[in-house]
Amino acid sequence: MRRRHAAAAAAVGISSSHRPPRAGRTSGTATSSDHPSRRLSATTSVDLNESEKEKTKKPPICTADELHYVDVSGSHWRLALWRYRPPPEAPARNHPLMLLSGVGTNAIGFDLSPGASFARHMSGQGFDTWIVEVRGAGLSIRRDDSETIKLSSDKSMLSDIVDITNGVIPENQQLSNGPSSEFEATINGNKEAVTSWDESILVTSLLEVRQNSSLGGQIRELSERLVNIVEEGQRSVSPQLFDLQKRLSTTIEDFQKQLDLIVMYDWDFDHYLKEDVPAAMEYIRNQSKPKDGKLLAIGHSMGGILLYAMLSRCSFEQRKSGLAAVVTLASSLDYTTSRSSLKLLLPLADPAQALNIVPIGALMAAVYPLSSRPPYVLSWLNAQVSAQDMMDPELYEKLVLNNFCTVPAKLLLQLTTAFREGGLRDRSGKFSYKDHLHNCDVPVLAIAGDQDLICPPEAVYETVKIIPQHMVTYKIFGQPNGPHYAHYDLVGGRLAIEEEYPYIIDFLCRHDVT
């Protein structure tokens, strides 16, 4: 474990895996010669000027061919869609492919590097591939319709909170250094638009702003519970984590200090399901124009949960989902029968609800040095992400430090219903999303990793067994003597491209019919 994750002291810069523009094209803007007429048509947006403006000015962090935005009706959000165009030599496909990532993550997990890119591999197989960044994730934008967000004139102080919450280490900067002093809350030159990537809006609205003494107590309670969790997980690991509580408390308190600079917002799982995903699907459909109007979809972790919930809701409402086939990676609607490590996080519910935030990126950044460097007191955390020898150390580091962000407590609180009798429920608590999967009419491939501690195979099967047998295929990757697959190995593991990706592609091709 130590050998695999002993990463270099310098953090992997977020631009280290930037893919150069292909010859003959402007970065982020496809040319018509790239897309033969036999392939899915790539039309421009209804608002041509706005679409072209967004595509041609994608930031360097976006390694896709194009960056698109779609407005979510009835909200302040514009979702970021990373598009990967199939190369001319790729086989023709009938449907575009939508990728949905896990809770509190952005698009980087699907595109870690040119040689380890789930999205790029799928586009190379001919699929017009789109990664959806839901509200609060990655480059998604929130526009304040009342007044421009007033940011602190102390850019260095704001950079502190940006880097702490997102876990993004500035390029050419050592892990031990402080964050960059340069920060601009702009996107495409528009100072009224703030991106979730910058974390200046990666916090939910505080339901009430408590007195500092009360808030300090809540922060201390949260950090104390975090320490209890990691100590329970490491148990006999020595030396004990004497400074961990101080480390976590400092991280969270630094984060809290700048809450007055953060845009307030508030959402849960149902917002993703009922607003974000439908808006993204409609946009992709209008861009790619499949003949039957359907999409293929792959969801990892919460992304797969969203797809299951969509199929269940559509079945209940007796309407078509608009999906030709679905692949879920390490996803389930019911974790009650499994020994998922996520159960360790349940004690955080009360203090997190008091803060109304869960800074996943901050926490990952805080514990990473203790899991990847001597004396490796938190090395057991590595197995939550990747199995032994399944991920390149630099890519592992990039994933941990750049893929996670802050999420609303109410989102996680709704997801905790998946650990209770009846499985995941809607926000009202009255609708169980697993109750109507028995009428599923969309082919499903459900994949599990043999050493996935977050969503173990038994959790995946708990959902699979509800779906009609002729509509579902269940596959576990990993062998008794290795190699093994943990939670993120199903997306970016070293052997996934040889063992798992072909299996997924074969399933998609069998159902890529009109």
Side-chain angles (χ1 to χ4, degrees):
M1 187 69 69
R2 297 181 181 181
R3 175 171 56 86
R4 178 170 66 90
H5 293 309
V12 177
I14 57 178
S15 61
S16 63
S17 64
H18 291 171
R19 187 181 183 90
R22 297 178 189 169
R25 72 163 52 169
T26 301
S27 178
T29 305
T31 61
S32 58
S33 61
D34 285 333
H35 310 288
S37 58
R38 67 187 178 87
R39 203 178 311 283
L40 284 168
S41 61
T43 61
T44 57
S45 172
V46 175
D47 185 347
L48 178 62
N49 292 333
E50 183 69 14
S51 177
E52 290 302 316
K53 176 181 176 182
E54 299 288 6
K55 286 194 298 181
T56 56
K57 292 188 177 182
K58 70 184 182 73
I61 187 64
C62 180
T63 50
D65 296 322
E66 299 169 6
L67 176 64
H68 293 244
Y69 282 96
V70 57
D71 292 311
V72 178
S73 178
S75 78
H76 298 286
W77 287 96
R78 304 190 72 208
L79 308 183
L81 307 178
W82 297 36
R83 187 179 193 178
Y84 299 77
R85 296 271 193 172
E89 66 273 13
R93 305 298 184 192
N94 294 310
H95 300 97
L97 174 62
M98 176 179 69
L99 306 182
L100 298 173
S101 61
V103 61
T105 61
N106 53 48
I108 283 183
F110 279 123
D111 192 11
L112 281 171
S113 73
S117 174
F118 187 96
R120 188 69 65 182
H121 188 88
M122 293 301 159
S123 69
Q125 295 297 313
F127 296 103
D128 185 11
T129 303
W130 300 73
I131 304 176
V132 177
E133 290 187 320
V134 293
R135 66 183 71 191
L139 294 173
S140 292
I141 299 170
R142 185 187 191 277
R143 297 184 184 274
D144 185 63
D145 62 355
S146 57
E147 61 178 350
T148 301
I149 301 161
K150 185 177 166 90
L151 298 178
S152 170
S153 59
D154 186 349
K155 294 180 180 180
S156 177
M157 185 178 296
L158 184 55
S159 289
D160 285 345
I161 199 60
V162 170
D163 292 327
I164 287 172
T165 53
N166 199 23
V168 175
I169 307 300
E171 187 178 6
N172 300 324
Q173 186 167 313
Q174 302 297 315
L175 282 173
S176 58
N177 292 348
S180 170
S181 62
E182 295 299 321
F183 173 82
E184 285 291 341
T186 64
I187 184 70
N188 297 339
N190 182 356
K191 292 182 182 292
E192 293 190 4
V194 188
T195 67
S196 303
W197 204 290
D198 293 326
E199 286 289 335
S200 61
I201 61 168
L202 278 186
V203 182
T204 64
S205 58
L206 290 173
L207 298 180
E208 294 179 332
V209 179
R210 312 288 170 82
Q211 293 183 351
N212 290 337
S213 59
S214 174
L215 189 56
Q218 294 160 8
I219 294 172
R220 284 190 295 274
E221 182 184 0
L222 178 57
S223 63
E224 288 168 1
R225 294 201 184 195
L226 285 168
V227 171
N228 291 337
I229 289 170
V230 296
E231 287 183 343
E232 178 181 347
Q234 63 112 31
R235 293 178 185 246
S236 61
V237 177
S238 182
Q240 294 299 311
L241 309 180
F242 293 116
D243 67 334
L244 181 59
Q245 182 169 336
K246 181 179 178 182
R247 175 188 296 272
L248 291 174
S249 180
T250 300
T251 299
I252 297 173
E253 286 177 0
D254 286 345
F255 175 81
Q256 189 66 41
K257 286 177 183 178
Q258 297 303 316
L259 276 180
D260 59 322
L261 304 177
I262 308 299
V263 177
M264 296 186 191
Y265 62 89
D266 188 19
W267 68 87
D268 57 18
F269 178 85
D270 286 355
H271 283 100
Y272 292 155
L273 178 65
K274 297 179 180 180
E275 299 179 14
D276 293 13
V277 175
M281 289 181 62
E282 183 65 21
Y283 184 89
I284 295 170
R285 187 180 296 114
N286 289 337
Q287 289 286 311
S288 296
K289 295 194 178 301
K291 292 182 179 179
D292 60 1
K294 294 182 179 180
L295 280 63
L296 297 167
I298 299 176
H300 175 248
S301 196
M302 187 191 72
I305 296 175
L306 280 167
L307 295 174
Y308 280 140
M310 177 184 298
L311 294 177
S312 179
R313 176 66 73 174
C314 289
S315 176
F316 172 72
E317 297 175 357
Q318 297 185 341
R319 59 181 175 87
K320 296 299 182 181
S321 65
L323 297 171
V326 161
V327 179
T328 64
L329 310 175
S331 305
S332 180
L333 293 174
D334 190 341
Y335 290 77
T336 56
T337 62
S338 75
R339 300 182 63 184
S340 169
S341 59
L342 290 180
K343 291 181 179 180
L344 290 173
L345 298 178
L346 295 181
L348 295 179
D350 291 339
Q353 187 175 20
L355 291 174
N356 207 38
I357 59 167
V358 180
I360 297 176
L363 300 177
M364 294 291 285
V367 302
Y368 174 73
L370 298 175
S371 67
S372 61
R373 299 174 184 175
Y376 303 99
V377 292
L378 288 183
S379 60
W380 61 273
L381 287 174
N382 295 328
Q384 305 291 322
V385 178
S386 179
Q388 179 75 24
D389 295 326
M390 277 296 284
M391 192 171 289
D392 178 86
E394 289 189 354
L395 294 183
Y396 177 86
E397 182 179 27
K398 181 178 181 180
L399 177 72
V400 171
L401 295 180
N402 293 274
N403 189 51
F404 300 93
C405 52
T406 299
V407 296
K410 68 186 302 182
L411 166 63
L412 295 189
L413 287 171
Q414 185 176 352
L415 289 174
T416 61
T417 62
F419 293 87
R420 301 169 190 160
E421 184 178 357
L424 183 68
R425 295 181 177 273
D426 70 353
R427 68 169 66 102
S428 73
K430 299 178 180 178
F431 184 89
S432 173
Y433 285 113
K434 63 182 286 188
D435 284 352
H436 302 280
L437 277 181
H438 65 278
N439 290 323
C440 177
D441 60 355
V442 175
V444 174
L445 169 61
I447 292 178
D450 67 325
Q451 286 193 357
D452 190 336
L453 304 178
I454 294 176
C455 187
E458 60 267 26
V460 176
Y461 184 72
E462 192 67 22
T463 298
V464 167
K465 68 182 185 181
I466 305 171
I467 303 172
Q469 290 188 5
H470 68 284
M471 298 302 298
V472 65
T473 303
Y474 176 48
K475 175 70 174 178
I476 301 175
F477 279 91
Q479 300 297 327
N481 298 320
H484 300 291
Y485 285 77
H487 199 63
Y488 277 91
D489 296 327
L490 295 174
V491 176
R494 179 174 54 85
L495 297 179
I497 191 171
E498 302 172 5
E499 299 180 349
E500 181 199 10
Y501 292 5
Y503 196 89
I504 294 174
I505 292 166
D506 178 69
F507 174 82
L508 294 177
C509 290
R510 282 189 281 114
H511 299 286
D512 184 41
V513 295
T514 56

mmCIF file of all heavy atoms in Angstrom, residues 41-66:
data_model
loop_
_atom_site.group_PDB
_atom_site.id
_atom_site.type_symbol
_atom_site.label_atom_id
_atom_site.label_comp_id
_atom_site.label_asym_id
_atom_site.label_seq_id
_atom_site.Cartn_x
_atom_site.Cartn_y
_atom_site.Cartn_z
ATOM 1 N N SER A 41 -25.279 14.049 -36.185
ATOM 2 C CA SER A 41 -25.095 15.435 -36.580
ATOM 3 C C SER A 41 -24.731 16.266 -35.371
ATOM 4 O O SER A 41 -25.252 16.088 -34.290
ATOM 5 C CB SER A 41 -26.377 15.982 -37.210
ATOM 6 O OG SER A 41 -27.434 15.946 -36.296
ATOM 7 N N ALA A 42 -23.793 17.192 -35.551
ATOM 8 C CA ALA A 42 -23.361 18.066 -34.455
ATOM 9 C C ALA A 42 -23.810 19.477 -34.760
ATOM 10 O O ALA A 42 -23.090 20.276 -35.328
ATOM 11 C CB ALA A 42 -21.844 18.004 -34.312
ATOM 12 N N THR A 43 -25.030 19.769 -34.425
ATOM 13 C CA THR A 43 -25.579 21.086 -34.718
ATOM 14 C C THR A 43 -25.171 22.081 -33.660
ATOM 15 O O THR A 43 -24.746 21.731 -32.584
ATOM 16 C CB THR A 43 -27.114 21.025 -34.749
ATOM 17 O OG1 THR A 43 -27.570 20.605 -33.460
ATOM 18 C CG2 THR A 43 -27.591 20.045 -35.785
ATOM 19 N N THR A 44 -25.312 23.335 -33.973
ATOM 20 C CA THR A 44 -25.008 24.374 -33.005
ATOM 21 C C THR A 44 -26.185 24.561 -32.079
ATOM 22 O O THR A 44 -27.275 24.062 -32.315
ATOM 23 C CB THR A 44 -24.734 25.700 -33.729
ATOM 24 O OG1 THR A 44 -25.872 26.031 -34.519
ATOM 25 C CG2 THR A 44 -23.518 25.595 -34.622
ATOM 26 N N SER A 45 -25.954 25.291 -31.000
ATOM 27 C CA SER A 45 -27.006 25.564 -30.041
ATOM 28 C C SER A 45 -28.064 26.455 -30.663
ATOM 29 O O SER A 45 -27.834 27.129 -31.659
ATOM 30 C CB SER A 45 -26.409 26.248 -28.810
ATOM 31 O OG SER A 45 -27.413 26.683 -27.963
ATOM 32 N N VAL A 46 -29.255 26.470 -30.039
ATOM 33 C CA VAL A 46 -30.310 27.358 -30.506
ATOM 34 C C VAL A 46 -29.820 28.793 -30.488
ATOM 35 O O VAL A 46 -30.066 29.572 -31.396
ATOM 36 C CB VAL A 46 -31.550 27.212 -29.600
ATOM 37 C CG1 VAL A 46 -32.605 28.227 -29.998
ATOM 38 C CG2 VAL A 46 -32.105 25.800 -29.716
ATOM 39 N N ASP A 47 -29.087 29.139 -29.416
ATOM 40 C CA ASP A 47 -28.476 30.449 -29.336
ATOM 41 C C ASP A 47 -27.054 30.308 -29.841
ATOM 42 O O ASP A 47 -26.128 30.036 -29.089
ATOM 43 C CB ASP A 47 -28.488 30.949 -27.892
ATOM 44 C CG ASP A 47 -27.962 32.374 -27.763
ATOM 45 O OD1 ASP A 47 -27.374 32.861 -28.743
ATOM 46 O OD2 ASP A 47 -28.156 32.971 -26.686
ATOM 47 N N LEU A 48 -26.859 30.469 -31.154
ATOM 48 C CA LEU A 48 -25.582 30.190 -31.781
ATOM 49 C C LEU A 48 -24.463 31.029 -31.183
ATOM 50 O O LEU A 48 -23.405 30.529 -30.835
ATOM 51 C CB LEU A 48 -25.675 30.438 -33.290
ATOM 52 C CG LEU A 48 -24.373 30.222 -34.079
ATOM 53 C CD1 LEU A 48 -23.937 28.783 -33.951
ATOM 54 C CD2 LEU A 48 -24.569 30.593 -35.536
ATOM 55 N N ASN A 49 -24.688 32.329 -31.031
ATOM 56 C CA ASN A 49 -23.636 33.199 -30.534
ATOM 57 C C ASN A 49 -23.193 32.812 -29.135
ATOM 58 O O ASN A 49 -22.019 32.755 -28.827
ATOM 59 C CB ASN A 49 -24.111 34.662 -30.546
ATOM 60 C CG ASN A 49 -24.300 35.169 -31.971
ATOM 61 O OD1 ASN A 49 -23.648 34.684 -32.886
ATOM 62 N ND2 ASN A 49 -25.204 36.121 -32.140
ATOM 63 N N GLU A 50 -24.167 32.551 -28.276
ATOM 64 C CA GLU A 50 -23.839 32.189 -26.897
ATOM 65 C C GLU A 50 -23.112 30.852 -26.852
ATOM 66 O O GLU A 50 -22.139 30.682 -26.133
ATOM 67 C CB GLU A 50 -25.118 32.107 -26.061
ATOM 68 C CG GLU A 50 -24.880 31.804 -24.597
ATOM 69 C CD GLU A 50 -24.210 32.948 -23.856
ATOM 70 O OE1 GLU A 50 -24.166 34.068 -24.415
ATOM 71 O OE2 GLU A 50 -23.719 32.711 -22.752
ATOM 72 N N SER A 51 -23.589 29.889 -27.657
ATOM 73 C CA SER A 51 -22.966 28.575 -27.665
ATOM 74 C C SER A 51 -21.526 28.656 -28.151
ATOM 75 O O SER A 51 -20.615 28.088 -27.563
ATOM 76 C CB SER A 51 -23.765 27.616 -28.556
ATOM 77 O OG SER A 51 -23.129 26.363 -28.629
ATOM 78 N N GLU A 52 -21.308 29.360 -29.245
ATOM 79 C CA GLU A 52 -19.960 29.481 -29.782
ATOM 80 C C GLU A 52 -19.059 30.234 -28.820
ATOM 81 O O GLU A 52 -17.890 29.905 -28.642
ATOM 82 C CB GLU A 52 -20.012 30.209 -31.136
ATOM 83 C CG GLU A 52 -20.650 29.375 -32.244
ATOM 84 C CD GLU A 52 -19.916 28.061 -32.444
ATOM 85 O OE1 GLU A 52 -18.673 28.048 -32.462
ATOM 86 O OE2 GLU A 52 -20.590 27.032 -32.562
ATOM 87 N N LYS A 53 -19.622 31.244 -28.163
ATOM 88 C CA LYS A 53 -18.851 32.012 -27.194
ATOM 89 C C LYS A 53 -18.375 31.126 -26.066
ATOM 90 O O LYS A 53 -17.210 31.179 -25.652
ATOM 91 C CB LYS A 53 -19.709 33.151 -26.632
ATOM 92 C CG LYS A 53 -19.019 33.963 -25.538
ATOM 93 C CD LYS A 53 -19.962 35.039 -25.041
ATOM 94 C CE LYS A 53 -19.329 35.807 -23.880
ATOM 95 N NZ LYS A 53 -20.237 36.833 -23.337
ATOM 96 N N GLU A 54 -19.271 30.269 -25.533
ATOM 97 C CA GLU A 54 -18.903 29.399 -24.432
ATOM 98 C C GLU A 54 -17.871 28.361 -24.882
ATOM 99 O O GLU A 54 -16.923 28.071 -24.180
ATOM 100 C CB GLU A 54 -20.142 28.697 -23.872
ATOM 101 C CG GLU A 54 -21.212 29.621 -23.324
ATOM 102 C CD GLU A 54 -20.793 30.271 -22.021
ATOM 103 O OE1 GLU A 54 -19.644 30.085 -21.603
ATOM 104 O OE2 GLU A 54 -21.620 30.978 -21.427
ATOM 105 N N LYS A 55 -18.066 27.800 -26.083
ATOM 106 C CA LYS A 55 -17.190 26.739 -26.529
ATOM 107 C C LYS A 55 -15.772 27.230 -26.781
ATOM 108 O O LYS A 55 -14.808 26.587 -26.415
ATOM 109 C CB LYS A 55 -17.749 26.094 -27.797
ATOM 110 C CG LYS A 55 -18.953 25.209 -27.556
ATOM 111 C CD LYS A 55 -19.264 24.350 -28.750
ATOM 112 C CE LYS A 55 -19.607 25.178 -29.970
ATOM 113 N NZ LYS A 55 -19.928 24.318 -31.121
ATOM 114 N N THR A 56 -15.636 28.372 -27.435
ATOM 115 C CA THR A 56 -14.319 28.834 -27.839
ATOM 116 C C THR A 56 -13.508 29.406 -26.680
ATOM 117 O O THR A 56 -12.316 29.578 -26.806
ATOM 118 C CB THR A 56 -14.445 29.909 -28.930
ATOM 119 O OG1 THR A 56 -15.265 30.975 -28.448
ATOM 120 C CG2 THR A 56 -15.065 29.337 -30.181
ATOM 121 N N LYS A 57 -14.142 29.685 -25.554
ATOM 122 C CA LYS A 57 -13.432 30.276 -24.427
ATOM 123 C C LYS A 57 -13.355 29.323 -23.237
ATOM 124 O O LYS A 57 -13.336 29.750 -22.100
ATOM 125 C CB LYS A 57 -14.110 31.579 -24.004
ATOM 126 C CG LYS A 57 -13.970 32.675 -25.038
ATOM 127 C CD LYS A 57 -14.471 34.007 -24.507
ATOM 128 C CE LYS A 57 -14.241 35.109 -25.537
ATOM 129 N NZ LYS A 57 -14.673 36.429 -25.013
ATOM 130 N N LYS A 58 -13.295 28.029 -23.508
ATOM 131 C CA LYS A 58 -13.198 27.087 -22.400
ATOM 132 C C LYS A 58 -11.868 27.285 -21.678
ATOM 133 O O LYS A 58 -10.836 27.528 -22.298
ATOM 134 C CB LYS A 58 -13.360 25.655 -22.892
ATOM 135 C CG LYS A 58 -12.224 25.095 -23.726
ATOM 136 C CD LYS A 58 -12.578 23.697 -24.209
ATOM 137 C CE LYS A 58 -11.437 23.090 -25.016
ATOM 138 N NZ LYS A 58 -10.304 22.701 -24.157
ATOM 139 N N PRO A 59 -11.880 27.188 -20.344
ATOM 140 C CA PRO A 59 -10.654 27.394 -19.562
ATOM 141 C C PRO A 59 -9.688 26.220 -19.724
ATOM 142 O O PRO A 59 -10.084 25.118 -20.115
ATOM 143 C CB PRO A 59 -11.177 27.482 -18.133
ATOM 144 C CG PRO A 59 -12.450 26.708 -18.147
ATOM 145 C CD PRO A 59 -13.055 26.936 -19.499
ATOM 146 N N PRO A 60 -8.409 26.432 -19.424
ATOM 147 C CA PRO A 60 -7.401 25.368 -19.602
ATOM 148 C C PRO A 60 -7.695 24.102 -18.815
ATOM 149 O O PRO A 60 -7.310 23.023 -19.229
ATOM 150 C CB PRO A 60 -6.103 26.026 -19.100
ATOM 151 C CG PRO A 60 -6.329 27.489 -19.288
ATOM 152 C CD PRO A 60 -7.791 27.706 -19.017
ATOM 153 N N ILE A 61 -8.391 24.230 -17.681
ATOM 154 C CA ILE A 61 -8.671 23.045 -16.885
ATOM 155 C C ILE A 61 -9.536 22.047 -17.641
ATOM 156 O O ILE A 61 -9.497 20.846 -17.390
ATOM 157 C CB ILE A 61 -9.370 23.435 -15.560
ATOM 158 C CG1 ILE A 61 -9.524 22.226 -14.628
ATOM 159 C CG2 ILE A 61 -10.724 24.067 -15.814
ATOM 160 C CD1 ILE A 61 -8.245 21.632 -14.155
ATOM 161 N N CYS A 62 -10.317 22.531 -18.589
ATOM 162 C CA CYS A 62 -11.212 21.661 -19.361
ATOM 163 C C CYS A 62 -10.430 20.996 -20.476
ATOM 164 O O CYS A 62 -10.002 21.645 -21.435
ATOM 165 C CB CYS A 62 -12.379 22.464 -19.935
ATOM 166 S SG CYS A 62 -13.525 21.460 -20.910
ATOM 167 N N THR A 63 -10.243 19.692 -20.384
ATOM 168 C CA THR A 63 -9.467 18.938 -21.363
ATOM 169 C C THR A 63 -10.343 18.286 -22.426
ATOM 170 O O THR A 63 -9.856 17.488 -23.225
ATOM 171 C CB THR A 63 -8.640 17.858 -20.645
ATOM 172 O OG1 THR A 63 -9.493 17.116 -19.775
ATOM 173 C CG2 THR A 63 -7.534 18.487 -19.816
ATOM 174 N N ALA A 64 -11.611 18.624 -22.432
ATOM 175 C CA ALA A 64 -12.515 18.109 -23.466
ATOM 176 C C ALA A 64 -12.291 18.866 -24.768
ATOM 177 O O ALA A 64 -11.592 19.884 -24.820
ATOM 178 C CB ALA A 64 -13.960 18.261 -23.006
ATOM 179 N N ASP A 65 -12.904 18.386 -25.841
ATOM 180 C CA ASP A 65 -12.832 19.100 -27.119
ATOM 181 C C ASP A 65 -13.631 20.387 -27.061
ATOM 182 O O ASP A 65 -13.246 21.390 -27.667
ATOM 183 C CB ASP A 65 -13.358 18.207 -28.254
ATOM 184 C CG ASP A 65 -12.509 16.972 -28.454
ATOM 185 O OD1 ASP A 65 -11.270 17.082 -28.332
ATOM 186 O OD2 ASP A 65 -13.071 15.897 -28.718
ATOM 187 N N GLU A 66 -14.750 20.357 -26.357
ATOM 188 C CA GLU A 66 -15.614 21.530 -26.254
ATOM 189 C C GLU A 66 -16.196 21.613 -24.850
ATOM 190 O O GLU A 66 -16.386 20.595 -24.187
ATOM 191 C CB GLU A 66 -16.774 21.449 -27.254
ATOM 192 C CG GLU A 66 -16.360 21.395 -28.707
ATOM 193 C CD GLU A 66 -17.524 21.050 -29.629
ATOM 194 O OE1 GLU A 66 -18.672 20.954 -29.146
ATOM 195 O OE2 GLU A 66 -17.276 20.867 -30.837
#
